[in-house]
Amino acid sequence: MSTRSHVGSIGVCLAAAVALTACGGGTAKPAAGGSSRTPSASTTAAGTEPYADKTPAEIQLLASEYTRTATFKKARGTVTSEGTIVSVELSFANVDCAGTIKGEGLGRTDIHATPKVVYAKHDADALRAAFKGTKAEKELLVERAADRWLKVDATHSEAKATAYVCQLSNPATMVEDNSLHITRGGSATVDGQPAFMLTYPGSNGGTATDYIAAQGRPYLLKRTETGPEPYEVTYYDFETVTQLRAPADSEVVALE
């Protein structure tokens, strides 16, 4: 097996730990009467609660669409999968996604994903954790690939696995259709921003809570879920940057 094939398994391990738990295996569906177009935010009169004219399901759809279509945003979060805590920090600019995935015993992987190629850089711990070869083979892999950018065509299965976590750009991929079971809760604050809560059954037996911006555009500011495999994702820094810099060709190594 080539060194490139060994490295590819890293993305599968890390991305699966984050994305499969957060997504819960479900595919979100628009609420009844929903549209595939980005909906418009409601204006609220002073002293009234935001979006009082909409159902909780309509608000969740509105927030998901505003968050998904933001030209730039960041996300940070943690997820527990099979007892392992994995953390992610991602930036999204247009169709590009870049950031870091770290896990207890899984090391660190940096990624930069575009529609055409996916770059990944794994530290020594990530390589040792994912590769199941002999100690000598692991150390050879570490020597050749640790802390170096690798480039894979985006259509390759390894690239798709590595970039799977980038689906966090669309909050709707993280929930199942709970439009009939969403209830509106009280107010809250997320990173100093006023918000209000929506709660609904989670995908793994717990309770999920969405924190929706109460002022300005109705972005999803935070989503949490309790239960045996809890997770938390916070969205922030909306519309602050226009592009992400991919690794230069001189930073990328070719492994066979």
Side-chain angles (χ1 to χ4, degrees), residues 32 34 52 55-56 62 105 115 137 143 157 173 197 200 209 211 224 226 234 246:
T55 67
L62 184 73
E137 289 173 332
E143 179 182 345
S157 59
T173 64
M197 296 179 286
Y200 49 95
T209 304
Y211 297 77
T224 64
T226 62
T234 301

Side-chain angles (χ1 to χ4, degrees), residues 14 24 58 82 101 103 106 120 134 138 162 195 202 207 214 216 236 238 245 252-254 256:
L14 291 175
E58 290 172 335
E82 298 181 353
I101 310 167
L106 295 176
T134 66
K138 286 186 179 184
T162 300
T207 299
Y236 61 106
F238 292 94
R245 188 188 73 85
V252 179
V253 297
E256 301 300 336

Side-chain angles (χ1 to χ4, degrees), residues 6-7 44 53 64 81 90 102-103 110 119 121 125 134-135 141-142 149 165 167 170 180 194 241 246 249:
H6 295 332
V7 172
T44 55
D53 60 331
S64 291
S81 178
L90 298 171
K102 297 185 291 185
D110 296 328
Y119 301 87
K121 180 170 64 174
D125 289 339
T134 66
K135 182 177 180 180
L141 179 62
V142 168
W149 284 107
V165 70
Q167 292 193 32
N170 181 5
L180 298 179
V241 177
D249 290 342

Side-chain angles (χ1 to χ4, degrees), residues 41-74:
S42 296
T43 56
T44 55
T48 64
E49 65 179 11
Y51 311 104
D53 60 331
K54 296 185 180 297
T55 67
E58 290 172 335
I59 296 172
Q60 185 184 64
L61 177 62
L62 184 73
S64 291
E65 283 297 283
Y66 264 89
T67 304
R68 179 185 67 82
T69 58
T71 303
F72 179 86
K73 57 183 173 284
K74 293 181 180 178

Side-chain angles (χ1 to χ4, degrees), residues 62-251:
L62 184 73
S64 291
E65 283 297 283
Y66 264 89
T67 304
R68 179 185 67 82
T69 58
T71 303
F72 179 86
K73 57 183 173 284
K74 293 181 180 178
R76 65 175 183 268
T78 59
V79 59
T80 300
S81 178
E82 298 181 353
T84 297
I85 299 176
V86 179
S87 64
V88 297
E89 291 189 16
L90 298 171
S91 297
F92 304 93
N94 296 308
V95 293
D96 287 5
C97 163
T100 301
I101 310 167
K102 297 185 291 185
E104 295 178 346
L106 295 176
R108 168 181 172 139
T109 291
D110 296 328
I111 66 170
H112 186 111
T114 75
K116 293 184 178 181
V117 295
V118 174
Y119 301 87
K121 180 170 64 174
H122 316 286
D123 70 6
D125 289 339
L127 292 172
R128 292 190 181 104
F131 180 46
K132 304 304 180 183
T134 66
K135 182 177 180 180
E137 289 173 332
K138 286 186 179 184
E139 294 312 308
L140 177 60
L141 179 62
V142 168
E143 179 182 345
R144 297 186 63 188
D147 298 315
R148 299 180 181 182
W149 284 107
L150 308 173
K151 180 179 178 181
V152 184
D153 187 281
T155 60
H156 198 286
S157 59
E158 296 168 2
K160 291 180 179 179
T162 300
Y164 194 80
V165 70
C166 291
Q167 292 193 32
L168 290 175
S169 177
N170 181 5
T173 64
M174 301 162 59
V175 295
E176 299 175 348
D177 181 10
N178 285 303
S179 57
L180 298 179
H181 306 285
I182 304 173
T183 59
R184 181 163 181 161
S187 59
T189 302
V190 179
D191 291 342
Q193 299 185 65
F196 61 93
M197 296 179 286
L198 303 176
T199 61
Y200 49 95
S203 59
N204 58 17
T207 299
T209 304
D210 287 357
Y211 297 77
I212 313 299
Q215 296 177 358
R217 295 176 178 176
Y219 293 124
L220 173 64
L221 300 180
K222 185 177 180 180
R223 174 171 285 159
T224 64
E225 182 170 336
T226 62
E229 295 193 332
Y231 73 86
E232 176 179 303
V233 178
T234 301
Y235 293 92
Y236 61 106
D237 280 1
F238 292 94
E239 310 296 12
T240 57
V241 177
T242 57
Q243 65 181 38
L244 302 172
R245 188 188 73 85
D249 290 342
S250 59
E251 301 177 80

